[in-house]
Amino acid sequence: MIRCEQDFQQFSQRMYDMFKEIHGQTNKMNVLRSEVKGHVDTVAMRLDRVESDVEYLQNNIPETAHVEIEDSLLEHQVKEAKLQKTAVIPKDKDCSSELTGIKSLKIVKKAGGTTGSWMKDPTKGSAKIFFFSGTTNNTLLAYASLKTFTDSNSTKKTEVIRLPLPWYGTGHAIYSGFVYYHLADTNNEILKVHLSNRTVTDRLLLPAAGRMPAYSLNPNTLLDLAVDEMGLWSIHADPDFGGNLVITKLDHNSLAVEHTWDTNCNSRNAEASFMICGILYVVYNTDYGGRSSIQCVFDIHDTIYTESTPKVFFPKRYTSHSALCYHPKDKQLYAWDDGYQTIYKLDIKKVTTI
């Protein structure tokens, strides 16, 4: 009986060990299955983007089958095809210049929290200032002009705008009487809200966006919306593209995606960016703050030599920018620097095309 009991205990122990090993292998298989599923989903998203680009090219490049073409004419058509690939969106008639430096810095006020954004309405004839404090809220402030904003009793002249749904990050944009922003508690949803009646008029789920911060030094901003001479843009970082930035041209009326570009500008050590005439300028800094500089430029029209563009340094300030908003008419940047509302006057020169 004793021998039988010992054998039974040994058998039970072996069964327990075997069960434990099988359970461990099952857990490993579940982890591997999740990883494989993640890779498959990622590949599927990249394939969708490639398919859309191929479809666009098929619709816009005429068929040349069964046509004999002289070498010189063929070379000319190849050059035109390359140009069409880069210049998908036509340039605005006022876009014949590029940024070469920062002329001056002007600190106009210190208000709100350490992070936020502020901007001047780019609508023709408007001088309104819009003020977003913090990284999430459903309230923004509006002022009739920059002078009203800087007045000591500006609180008495403030228009309080309560949005139907809260915003997240610091990448908001004002354009043609609407506010565009990243909806809080979502990865990639953009809302378009009418500033007069405070109603949501359009919304967009931007494909593959919002999976990592657009700028590593500004972790609360997943989507950055920008306005320039050509209209409305969205900027985000793609973890499947090494953390490089992706820019998307949006139709400001319908929020439809017009085209997307993968850039060579990385989000690592980036703090903000802005668009001028379809050219992306990315601003970098350090973890402990310091003197910001533009170290990467991407031109969707390929009209400037972006790889040889020299660094553009900002005047020394307090810490780092949480937002940079370009005003197409003033040719100025409205920056938020650790709670200081700052204006940078830009040095812009005519572009010599390639």
Side-chain angles (χ1 to χ4, degrees), residues 98-114:
E98 66 173 302
L99 174 67
T100 58
I102 311 295
K103 278 186 178 179
S104 62
L105 170 154
K106 180 180 180 182
I107 298 172
V108 299
K109 194 171 183 177
K110 186 180 190 303
T114 56

Side-chain angles (χ1 to χ4, degrees), residues 275-299:
M275 301 288 299
I276 300 179
C277 288
I279 303 174
L280 174 71
Y281 296 89
V282 187
V283 181
Y284 294 86
N285 207 319
T286 61
D287 290 330
Y288 49 85
R291 193 175 183 189
S292 302
S293 62
I294 298 170
Q295 299 181 25
C296 189
V297 177
F298 181 85
D299 180 9

Side-chain angles (χ1 to χ4, degrees), residues 2 50 59 107-108 118 151 181 271 336 345:
I2 293 173
V50 170
N59 292 334
I107 298 172
V108 299
W118 74 301
D151 278 351
Y181 61 91
E271 62 179 14
W336 191 291
K345 190 173 182 180

Side-chain angles (χ1 to χ4, degrees), residues 98-139:
E98 66 173 302
L99 174 67
T100 58
I102 311 295
K103 278 186 178 179
S104 62
L105 170 154
K106 180 180 180 182
I107 298 172
V108 299
K109 194 171 183 177
K110 186 180 190 303
T114 56
T115 58
S117 65
W118 74 301
M119 62 212 69
K120 183 180 176 182
D121 187 355
T123 306
K124 186 176 181 180
S126 175
K128 270 192 169 184
I129 296 294
F130 292 90
F131 184 88
F132 301 77
S133 181
T135 56
T136 183
N137 208 327
N138 69 335
T139 303

Side-chain angles (χ1 to χ4, degrees), residues 36 63 77 88 156 165 181 185:
V36 170
E63 294 184 2
Q77 289 186 345
V88 176
K156 297 179 181 179
L165 294 167
Y181 61 91
D185 299 320

